[in-house]
């Protein structure tokens, strides 16, 4: 499964991410992006979808 995210960063810019791994930790979403684990506040996620 592949996950595609649009995230609004602190500066208000929209960034797109493609991740193979996703999990939730409290109010954060943890994704693996280019070999790194990144955490986003769920309220900053603008849109997402899962693709097989």
């Amino acid at each position: 499964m592949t996950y595609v995210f649009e995230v609004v960063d602190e500066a208000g810019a929209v960034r797109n991410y493609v991740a193979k791994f996703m999990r939730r930790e409290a109010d954060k979403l943890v994704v693996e992006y280019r070999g790194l684990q990144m955490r986003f506040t769920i309220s900053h996620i603008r849109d997402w979808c899962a693709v097989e």
Side-chain angles (χ1 to χ4, degrees):
M1 188 78 58
T2 301
Y3 304 96
V4 181
F5 298 89
E6 275 189 351
V7 177
V8 179
D9 67 13
E10 290 75 23
V14 176
R15 303 199 182 273
N16 295 303
Y17 296 92
V18 176
K20 292 282 186 186
F21 170 83
M22 173 181 78
R23 78 171 185 269
R24 183 176 178 172
E25 288 182 356
D27 67 340
K28 304 245 188 248
L29 189 67
V30 180
V31 300
E32 188 171 306
Y33 176 73
R34 294 186 179 180
L36 300 172
Q37 281 196 4
M38 302 180 74
R39 288 170 171 76
F40 302 106
T41 303
I42 289 176
S43 64
H44 287 202
I45 296 171
R46 188 167 128 166
D47 198 8
W48 73 278
C49 69
V51 181
E52 278 195 68

